[in-house]
């Protein structure tokens, strides 16, 4: 929640006109040149002339830096900002060339005190608004400034982090070495120099550009400096607001500092990834396997930021594809909008948190420093009264002569003589006489008097100094708060897009550049992708092509284009050309409406395949026609407890009679209701797929079915037992008859740390065949059920963990007149020590002795033991013997052994895995031996690519 403070910072007339305004320091960019941002809050829309003048305040004088006049500046009602570009303004007087060069080349403002005057003038030349502010730039180089980043980059190159404390003499040599590095880095830049200064117990290098002090940087030994730089970067990366200064003297506004920190982030592009290369060799094939055992694979991934936007490139290649129709190799390009949203949301949260902290701190400083300023003014009043009483000189005369007694007395004496010459009365003569007496006494103590008067002036200057600082702090915090409140309207949606977040960051963070096209992208994927759009269009099929989405404000659009491929049951690869258009409307909160248009047609390569046409040369004109599927999807929430989902689609064959009826349509609806103040969730659904509805790219065709579902889930015994119940009623509509299927499902689980966790589930399943199915996707009616019982228990004592598991599974299915039944029982144990892991298992598998008929039962037993042991910091070994046997003897005897080695100084890992197996498929066959070996290398990398600064590019 944003709190908006309204504190008096202007005169009454300015409040009447509703203007509040603060300025940032000038900036420079190659595209726009010099510019200066003004942040304001206005009660009306208006067009004014803006005049800005700035001086640097030094010990003895002030230096004029620049003066500009900007005509026809539009100020909008509300809290906003305006960037005044110097090339659009009129320069009044000569700007300081050295100051401009510092900003242009170093992208920073020199250290020191600055006074900026701003005037807003109406069309008639009258002053509409006038304000002046004093700001201080700390001598320490700011976090994320380009100069500081360049120095740290130069100082940390080729230096290892310190591992032990060094002596004072060695540390002094290291500091001298650091200073020499600084001098070398600045040497190519004409006009820049550095000096070493010692303050307290620390050494600094002060950097100058001609007559301007740019700032200072703390020097230390190079080893300590390497660690300090690394820690500083890590802190700014994980805590974006860590570099924002909130102290009174050097406060330049939260938004201005966050933008400056963000510029440093934008100048750095982070990347990370890995490359994995492996080769597998074997002397023979595994029994019942058609996969080539001699192959090589290459896999890699790269995460990189381009123009501040995260992208991911991922690829995989296997030599097994040489003998495959369906290739497993892929290349995928992905715009990681979720990571971009998370980073921007993190910075927005950091900004809001820092602004809230600053406002709270400002209230405390108002109390402390405001009271101190009032106290100083009170002391000044008391001291002034005493000085007036002692000297007999009124306060006005003292002020006019800046506390000079002789000049003040001379003025009063002249006035007295004038009065006496004009025939003054006796009282005037008496005052003149007393003035002469006090003059003699006061002049005798002239030094003490003038010293106390200087103290009075010091109190006034201190009070004015803190009042200006408080006013600057108050103004900038108030404007930041007002702009944040203005921009928060873009975050009112339940799921704001990256574009919404960018709009909310305009004027606050550097990411708020809505002119960038990338901020509107909701997704971009290219290569091999699988997307779920809806149940009746694209529902997760693999697609070779691209998909892009864009946020246009009121609607979000998407386009997917490519080729859908999958392996049919006859072993061939079917290709379909696919296009999908999508439009989402989410203007209503908690309600989302989507329109989809899906176009699919068989690819030419598929239509020309002889296996598709057949030996008799038959053709299928209806199949060749493109299929169009318009679909409407709604997702919404009514109240707090009811969630709804529905989709309605229809299939239209190209150049055929258009029929919009239930036979050509697919409709589903789902409602979830959370019973208030309970854990009970009720579900109900209905789905209808007409017999003539067609989408040949779906993984499973369900044409001619109607399904009703009911379900519930709830917790019992304070969450100890969770229960799920489901009921499905399925109707299959055939040409002449209907088939019905009623199935119940149940899932029970216990949750406890004290007792073993137990889960029991019963899940029946069934499929149907429709007479209208295409010949390219043959299906068989199958019915069956799966029982699963599992249990686990963990005992943890100190650093030793024992985990026990048990699993029983029974699968029964019936296809036509054949029945298949299998059962599995497995017991497992895992022992985990800090540097040792062991796992063991025993199992039994019951399956048909004859796969073709499903007759008979053959029981097999398995036992496995695996151990893993790290050796030092670089080596890791594992060993895993296993055995399987049945009634007639040993079926399989195998041993797996592996070793991996990780380089200590490089992120490179080499692994070697060996497996020996001896198989015996039945009692009459002889044993077969298989030797398999795999060698792999994995290399991981990460780093930061940083744009070169001015001092690095010389």
């Amino acid at each position: 929640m944003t709190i908006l403070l309204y504190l008096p910072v202007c005169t009454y007339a300015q409040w009447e006109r509703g203007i509040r305004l603060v300025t940032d320091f000038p900036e420079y960019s190659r595209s726009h040149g010099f510019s200066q941002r003004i942040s304001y809050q206005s009660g009306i829309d208006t067009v004014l002339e803006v005049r800005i003048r700035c001086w640097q305040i030094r010990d003895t004088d002030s230096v004029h830096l620049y003066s500009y006049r900007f005509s026809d500046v539009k100020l909008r009602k509300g809290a906003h900002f305006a960037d005044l570009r110097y090339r659009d303004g009129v320069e009044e007087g000569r700007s300081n060339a050295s100051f401009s060069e510092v900003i242009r080349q170093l992208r920073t403002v020199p250290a020191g005190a600055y006074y900026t005057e701003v005037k807003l003038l109406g069309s008639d030349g009258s002053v509409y608004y006038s304000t002046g502010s004093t700001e201080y730039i700390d001598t320490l180089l700011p976090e994320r400034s380009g100069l500081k980043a360049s120095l740290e980059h130069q100082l940390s190159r080729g230096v290892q982090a310190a591992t032990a404390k060094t002596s004072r003499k060695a540390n002094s040599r290291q500091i001298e070495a650091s200073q020499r590095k600084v001098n070398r880095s600045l040497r190519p830049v004409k006009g820049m120099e550095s000096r070493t200064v010692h303050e307290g117990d620390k050494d600094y290098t002060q950097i100058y550009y001609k007559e301007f002090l740019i700032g200072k940087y703390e020097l230390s030994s190079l080893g300590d400096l390497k660690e300090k730089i690394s820690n500083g970067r890590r802190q700014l990366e994980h805590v974006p607001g860590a570099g924002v200064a909130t102290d009174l003297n050097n406060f330049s506004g939260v938004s201005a500092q966050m933008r400056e920190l963000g510029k440093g982030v934008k100048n750095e592009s982070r990347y990370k990834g890995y490359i994995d290369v492996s080769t597998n060799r074997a002397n023979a094939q595994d029994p019942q396997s058609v996969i080539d055992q001699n192959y090589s694979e290459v896999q890699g991934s790269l995460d990189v930021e381009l123009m501040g936007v995260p992208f991911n490139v991922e690829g995989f290649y296997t030599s097994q594809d040489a003998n495959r129709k369906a290739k497993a190799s892929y290349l995928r390009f992905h715009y990681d909008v979720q990571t971009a949203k998370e980073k921007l949301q993190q910075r927005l949260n950091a900004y809001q948190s820092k602004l809230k902290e600053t406002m709270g701190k400002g209230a405390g400083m108002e109390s402390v420093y405001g009271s101190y300023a009032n106290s100083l003014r009170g002391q000044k009043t008391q001291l002034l009264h005493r000085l007036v009483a002692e000297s007999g000189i009124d306060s006005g005369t003292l002020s006019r002569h800046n506390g000079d007694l002789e000049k003040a007395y001379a003025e009063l004496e002249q006035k007295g003589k004038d009065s006496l010459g004009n025939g003054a009365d006796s009282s005037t003569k008496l005052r003149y006489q007393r003035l002469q007496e006090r003059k003699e006494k006061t002049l005798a103590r002239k030094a003490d008097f003038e010293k106390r008067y200087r103290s009075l002036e010091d109190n006034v200057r201190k009070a004015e100094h803190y009042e200006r600082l408080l006013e600057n702090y108050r103004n900038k915090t108030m404007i930041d708060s007002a702009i944040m409140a203005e921009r928060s309207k873009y975050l009112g949606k339940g799921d704001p897009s990256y574009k919404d977040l960018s709009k909310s960051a305009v004027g606050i963070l550097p990411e708020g550049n809505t002119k960038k096209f990338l901020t509107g992208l909701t997704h971009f994927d290219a290569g091999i992708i699988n997307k779920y759009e809806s149940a009746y269009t694209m529902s997760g099929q693999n697609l070779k092509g691209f998909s892009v989405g864009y946020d246009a404000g009121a609607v979000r659009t998407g386009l997917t284009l490519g080729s859908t491929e999958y392996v049919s049951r006859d072993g061939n690869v079917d290709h379909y050309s696919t296009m999908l258009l999508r439009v989402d409307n989410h203007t209503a909160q908690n309600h989302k409406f989507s329109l989809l248009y899906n176009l699919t047609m068989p690819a030419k390569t598929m239509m020309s395949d002889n296996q598709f046409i057949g030996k008799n040369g038959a053709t299928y004109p209806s199949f060749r026609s493109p299929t169009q599927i318009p679909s409407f999807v709604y997702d919404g929430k009514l109240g707090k407890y009811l969630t709804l989902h529905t989709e309605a689609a229809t299939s239209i064959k190209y150049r055929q009679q258009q029929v919009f009826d239930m036979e050509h349509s697919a409709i589903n609806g789902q409602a979830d209701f959370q019973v208030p103040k309970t854990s009970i969730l009720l579900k109900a659904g209905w789905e209808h797929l007409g017999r003539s509805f067609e989408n040949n790219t779906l993984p499973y065709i369900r044409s001619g079915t109607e399904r009703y579902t009911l379900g519930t889930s709830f917790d019992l015994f304070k969450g100890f037992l969770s229960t799920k119940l489901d009921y499905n009623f399925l109707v299959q509509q055939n040409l002449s008859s209907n088939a019905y299927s009623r199935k119940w499902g149940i899932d029970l689980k216990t949750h406890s740390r004290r007792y073993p966790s137990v889960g029991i589930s019963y899940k029946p399943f069934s499929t149907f065949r429709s007479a209208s199915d295409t010949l390219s996707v043959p299906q068989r009616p199958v019915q069956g059920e799966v029982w699963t019982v599992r249990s686990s228990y963990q005992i943890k004592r100190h650093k030793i963990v024992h985990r026990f598991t048990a699993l029983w599974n029974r699968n029964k299915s019936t296809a036509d007149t054949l029945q298949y039944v299998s059962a599995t029982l497995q017991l497992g144990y895992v022992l985990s020590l800090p540097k040792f892991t062991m796992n063991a298992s025993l199992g039994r598998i019951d399956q048909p002795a004859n796969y073709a008929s499903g007759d008979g039962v053959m029981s097999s037993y398995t036992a496995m033991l695996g151990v893993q042991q790290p050796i030092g910091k670089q080596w890791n070994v594992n060993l895993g013997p296993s055995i399987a046997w049945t009634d007639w003897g040993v079926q399989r005897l195998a041993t797996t052994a592996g070793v991996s080695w990780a380089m200590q100084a490089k992120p490179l890992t080499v692994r070697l895995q060996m497996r020996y197996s001896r198989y015996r498929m039945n009692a009459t066959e002889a044993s077969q031996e298989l030797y398999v070996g795999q060698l792999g290398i994995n290399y991981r990398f990460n780093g930061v690519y940083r744009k070169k600064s001015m001092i690095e590019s010389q």
Side-chain angles (χ1 to χ4, degrees):
M1 180 179 70
T2 302
I3 303 173
L4 186 58
L5 291 179
Y6 291 95
L7 298 172
V9 295
C10 309
T11 65
Y12 178 78
Q14 292 160 358
W15 275 100
E16 282 286 291
R17 291 164 177 171
I19 292 287
R20 300 181 180 90
L21 183 145
V22 295
T23 63
D24 290 349
F25 284 104
E27 298 178 353
Y28 178 84
S29 68
R30 292 183 179 179
S31 57
H32 302 306
F34 285 97
S35 64
Q36 188 163 5
R37 172 167 295 186
I38 60 171
S39 301
Y40 63 90
Q41 187 176 23
S42 175
I44 57 172
D45 293 327
T46 185
V47 179
L48 299 170
E49 179 181 294
V50 180
R51 294 183 182 180
I52 301 180
R53 295 193 297 172
C54 183
W55 296 265
Q56 187 184 53
I57 305 171
R58 298 183 179 177
D59 293 337
T60 57
D61 60 353
S62 60
V63 178
H64 176 261
L65 300 179
Y66 59 87
S67 296
Y68 276 89
R69 183 177 77 249
F70 305 89
S71 302
D72 300 328
V73 178
K74 296 180 180 179
L75 302 183
R76 294 179 293 160
K77 182 179 180 180
H80 305 280
F81 69 91
D83 288 322
L84 306 177
R85 297 174 184 174
Y86 285 10
R87 65 188 183 191
D88 298 332
V90 177
E91 185 176 8
E92 296 182 329
R94 187 178 180 85
S95 298
N96 189 289
S98 298
F99 179 79
S100 300
E101 280 299 297
V102 170
I103 296 177
R104 186 180 69 83
Q105 297 193 66
L106 301 180
R107 303 294 199 274
T108 190
V109 179
Y114 296 85
Y115 179 78
T116 304
E117 179 186 85
V118 182
K119 289 184 179 181
L120 306 182
L121 289 81
S123 57
D124 58 353
S126 61
V127 177
Y128 191 87
Y129 173 91
S130 177
T131 185
S133 63
T134 303
E135 294 189 47
Y136 298 85
I137 300 296
D138 194 7
T139 54
L140 284 174
L141 288 175
E143 297 292 339
R144 288 290 185 182
S145 69
L147 180 58
K148 182 176 182 180
S150 300
L151 289 177
E152 291 181 342
H153 177 70
Q154 296 290 336
L155 290 171
S156 60
R157 289 176 62 181
V159 178
Q160 299 295 328
T163 56
K165 291 186 177 180
T166 58
S167 64
R168 180 177 298 180
K169 186 175 181 180
N171 187 62
S172 178
R173 289 196 300 268
Q174 290 285 338
I175 290 175
E176 291 176 1
S178 300
Q179 181 62 52
R180 287 195 296 271
K181 276 196 168 187
V182 173
N183 293 336
R184 284 197 300 270
S185 65
L186 299 179
R187 191 177 300 156
V189 185
K190 187 177 180 180
M192 290 195 72
E193 61 176 341
S194 64
R195 306 169 191 169
T196 304
V197 295
H198 188 78
E199 297 179 5
D201 58 347
K202 296 181 179 180
D203 292 282
Y204 297 89
T205 179
Q206 286 186 338
I207 301 172
Y208 291 84
Y209 183 83
K210 296 184 178 178
E211 74 270 25
F212 286 96
L213 170 64
I214 307 302
K216 62 183 182 181
Y217 184 80
E218 182 184 350
L219 294 175
S220 56
S221 66
L222 291 178
D224 293 337
L225 191 63
K226 177 86 172 180
E227 184 177 359
K228 185 181 77 171
I229 292 171
S230 177
N231 293 336
R233 288 178 177 174
R234 194 179 303 113
Q235 184 184 29
L236 285 174
E237 181 180 351
H238 293 92
V239 187
V244 176
T246 59
D247 54 295
L248 186 63
N249 285 325
N250 305 300
F251 184 70
S252 59
V254 178
S255 63
Q257 294 184 76
M258 288 292 288
R259 285 198 306 275
E260 194 64 31
L261 291 172
K263 289 176 186 176
V265 175
K266 289 178 71 176
N267 289 332
E268 297 179 349
S269 295
R270 297 185 175 275
Y271 61 89
K272 66 177 181 179
Y274 72 90
I275 299 175
D276 190 281
V277 181
S278 64
T279 182
N280 198 90
R281 292 294 179 264
N283 67 322
Q285 296 289 107
D286 276 313
Q288 308 296 331
S289 173
V290 295
I291 299 176
D292 186 7
Q293 291 285 72
N294 295 290
Y295 61 91
S296 298
E297 292 181 347
V298 179
Q299 187 172 5
S301 176
L302 172 65
D303 294 299
V304 63
E305 291 184 359
L306 301 177
M307 296 178 291
V309 178
F311 289 90
N312 171 262
V313 182
E314 182 183 4
F316 171 75
Y317 167 77
T318 175
S319 61
Q320 291 178 329
D321 283 348
N323 302 315
R324 287 175 174 170
K325 292 183 178 180
K327 310 299 183 183
S329 303
Y330 67 88
L331 179 65
R332 182 181 299 122
F333 185 83
H334 173 62
Y335 163 49
D336 196 353
V337 66
Q338 192 60 38
T339 299
K341 284 177 60 177
E342 289 174 358
K343 287 187 175 181
L344 185 51
Q345 184 68 67
Q346 182 186 26
R347 289 175 187 166
L348 278 171
N349 292 340
Y351 172 79
Q352 291 176 319
S353 175
K354 206 67 181 180
L355 182 58
K356 185 177 180 181
E357 173 191 331
T358 303
M359 295 174 71
K361 189 174 181 179
M365 287 191 293
E366 286 279 354
S367 175
V368 175
Y369 290 100
S371 299
Y372 180 57
N374 292 335
S375 173
L376 290 173
R377 289 196 177 276
Q379 294 175 24
K380 169 250 181 183
T381 302
Q382 293 177 6
L383 181 57
L384 183 60
H385 286 165
R386 286 198 294 269
L387 293 177
V388 169
E390 291 177 10
S391 64
I393 305 173
D394 60 276
S395 59
T397 304
L398 274 176
S399 299
R400 278 196 302 273
H401 296 287
N402 199 23
D404 190 321
L405 287 175
E406 293 180 350
K407 291 182 179 180
Y409 277 123
E411 178 184 340
L412 292 180
E413 286 177 345
Q414 185 59 46
K415 288 182 179 180
K417 289 178 181 180
D418 294 342
S419 299
L420 292 175
N422 295 328
D425 56 14
S426 58
S427 60
T428 303
K429 294 179 180 179
L430 181 62
R431 284 198 302 272
Y432 181 78
Q433 182 180 356
R434 290 178 178 175
L435 178 65
Q436 293 297 323
E437 295 174 356
R438 288 187 180 180
K439 175 182 176 181
E440 295 177 3
K441 294 180 180 179
T442 306
L443 288 177
R445 293 181 286 107
K446 177 182 177 182
D448 177 67
F449 184 94
E450 292 183 347
K451 180 181 179 181
R452 287 188 292 164
Y453 188 86
R454 299 291 174 265
S455 174
L456 179 149
E457 289 183 324
D458 288 342
N459 285 352
V460 173
R461 281 194 292 270
K462 287 181 181 178
E464 291 176 347
H465 171 74
Y466 285 111
E467 287 168 351
R468 284 195 300 268
L469 290 178
L470 287 172
E471 182 179 0
N472 176 64
Y473 202 98
R474 189 187 309 125
N475 281 349
K476 290 187 177 293
T477 304
M478 179 271 300
I479 292 293
D480 284 345
S481 176
I483 292 179
M484 187 68 237
E486 185 80 19
R487 298 293 171 182
S488 62
K489 62 185 179 183
Y490 296 107
L491 303 178
K493 304 171 184 177
D495 181 23
S497 66
Y498 185 48
K499 191 171 187 178
D500 295 330
L501 291 174
S502 297
K503 287 180 178 179
S504 69
V506 171
I508 301 172
L509 302 174
E511 285 82 358
N513 188 356
T514 55
K515 295 180 181 179
K516 287 187 177 180
F517 173 79
L518 289 176
T519 59
L521 282 179
T522 57
H523 70 271
F524 179 79
D525 299 277
I528 299 295
I529 58 178
N530 57 324
K531 289 185 65 64
Y532 182 91
E533 299 288 355
S534 73
Y536 307 129
T537 55
M538 293 186 63
S539 58
Q541 304 97 305
N542 278 340
L543 181 135
K544 184 186 296 183
F546 74 91
S547 178
V548 62
Y550 195 79
D551 183 357
V555 297
R556 297 179 188 175
T557 60
L559 169 65
T560 303
L561 190 65
S563 173
T564 301
E565 302 177 357
Y566 61 90
V567 180
S568 61
R569 291 189 59 181
D570 58 8
N572 293 314
V573 179
D574 291 343
H575 302 263
Y576 288 87
S577 299
T578 303
M579 181 186 72
L580 185 135
L581 296 173
R582 180 177 187 130
V583 178
D584 297 327
N585 181 286
H586 52 88
T587 54
Q589 193 170 5
N590 296 329
H591 299 280
K592 179 181 176 182
F593 304 91
S594 304
L595 290 176
L596 297 90
Y597 174 76
N598 187 209
L599 177 66
T600 62
M601 63 180 299
K604 292 183 179 180
T605 54
M606 177 180 171
M607 300 297 298
S608 61
D609 192 344
N610 290 331
Q611 295 186 13
F612 177 81
I613 298 176
K615 295 180 181 180
N616 57 2
T619 59
Y620 306 93
S622 63
F623 184 78
R624 296 169 61 95
S625 301
T627 302
Q628 306 172 74
I629 303 176
S631 175
F632 170 79
V633 180
Y634 166 75
D635 289 283
K637 192 172 184 179
L638 301 179
K640 296 182 180 180
Y641 308 107
L642 182 61
T643 303
L644 300 175
H645 168 81
T646 185
E647 180 180 1
T650 186
S651 62
I652 305 171
K653 297 295 289 185
Y654 183 64
R655 290 184 178 177
Q656 292 188 5
Q657 183 179 1
Q658 310 301 317
V659 179
F660 298 96
D661 56 15
M662 297 295 286
E663 289 296 305
H664 293 79
S665 300
I667 307 172
N668 72 60
Q670 178 76 34
D672 296 345
F673 180 74
Q674 182 71 52
V675 180
K677 299 181 180 181
T678 69
S679 63
I680 301 175
L681 178 65
L682 304 177
K683 297 182 178 181
W686 168 71
E687 182 179 35
H688 166 84
L689 287 96
R691 285 181 295 183
S692 300
F693 178 79
E694 181 178 325
N695 184 355
N696 295 318
T697 65
L698 289 176
Y700 174 56
I701 296 178
R702 298 166 293 169
S703 302
T705 62
E706 193 156 350
R707 184 177 61 168
Y708 302 86
T709 60
L710 293 173
T712 182
S713 63
F714 51 88
D715 295 334
L716 297 175
F717 311 115
K718 297 181 179 180
F720 174 76
L721 177 65
S722 62
T723 304
K724 292 183 180 180
L725 298 173
D726 288 290
Y727 172 75
N728 281 264
F729 176 61
L730 188 64
V731 181
Q732 169 73 20
Q733 302 170 357
N734 212 324
L735 290 176
S736 58
S737 63
N738 292 340
Y740 303 93
S741 175
R742 299 173 178 84
K743 299 293 182 180
W744 282 91
I746 186 172
D747 192 357
L748 304 175
K749 292 181 181 179
T750 63
H751 308 276
S752 174
R753 292 185 177 181
R754 183 176 180 181
Y755 304 103
S757 298
V758 180
I760 302 174
S761 67
Y762 169 71
K763 298 179 180 180
F765 59 88
S766 63
T767 64
F768 291 81
R769 181 175 59 195
S770 170
S772 61
D773 286 348
T774 63
L775 298 179
S776 65
V777 191
Q779 299 180 43
R780 301 180 65 192
V782 179
Q783 296 189 27
E785 60 185 19
V786 178
W787 279 96
T788 303
V789 180
R790 57 167 52 90
S791 179
S792 64
Y793 186 61
Q794 180 173 293
I795 302 174
K796 188 173 183 180
R797 293 289 185 270
H798 303 291
K799 296 183 180 181
I800 302 175
V801 179
H802 304 271
R803 183 174 178 83
F804 303 89
T805 60
L807 171 68
W808 176 77
N809 174 276
R810 185 177 185 274
N811 186 321
K812 177 183 177 182
S813 60
T814 302
D816 296 333
T817 59
L818 300 179
Q819 189 176 77
Y820 176 89
V821 180
S822 66
T824 301
L825 174 64
Q826 188 174 25
L827 303 176
Y829 167 72
V830 179
L831 170 65
S832 297
L833 301 175
K835 293 186 178 181
F836 178 79
T837 302
M838 183 192 75
N839 60 83
S841 66
L842 291 172
R844 169 176 170 166
I845 302 174
D846 296 330
Q847 54 190 353
N850 190 322
Y851 279 90
S853 63
D855 296 334
V857 177
M858 181 179 68
S859 298
S860 298
Y861 302 88
T862 62
M864 187 274 292
L865 177 67
V867 294
Q868 182 174 323
Q869 172 73 54
I871 301 175
K873 295 182 178 181
Q874 297 178 263
W875 293 90
N876 194 303
V877 297
N878 63 81
L879 180 67
S882 64
I883 186 173
W885 70 94
T886 188
D887 297 338
W888 45 262
V890 176
Q891 290 179 301
R892 185 188 76 246
L893 184 64
T895 300
T896 301
V899 60
S900 66
W901 173 71
M903 291 185 65
Q904 190 168 2
K906 300 289 183 181
L908 180 70
T909 303
V910 181
R911 63 185 184 276
L912 177 65
Q913 199 77 15
M914 305 294 293
R915 177 167 62 92
Y916 165 77
S917 304
R918 188 174 68 186
Y919 291 94
R920 189 182 178 195
M921 301 306 297
N922 53 57
T924 60
E925 288 188 6
S927 298
Q928 303 178 34
E929 292 186 334
L930 178 65
Y931 299 89
V932 180
Q934 184 188 72
L935 176 65
I937 299 175
N938 182 280
Y939 179 75
R940 295 185 176 273
F941 55 89
N942 65 80
V944 178
Y945 170 76
R946 195 169 52 82
K947 294 180 181 178
K948 287 186 177 181
S949 69
M950 182 269 293
I951 67 173
E952 293 175 273
S953 58
Q954 296 294 320

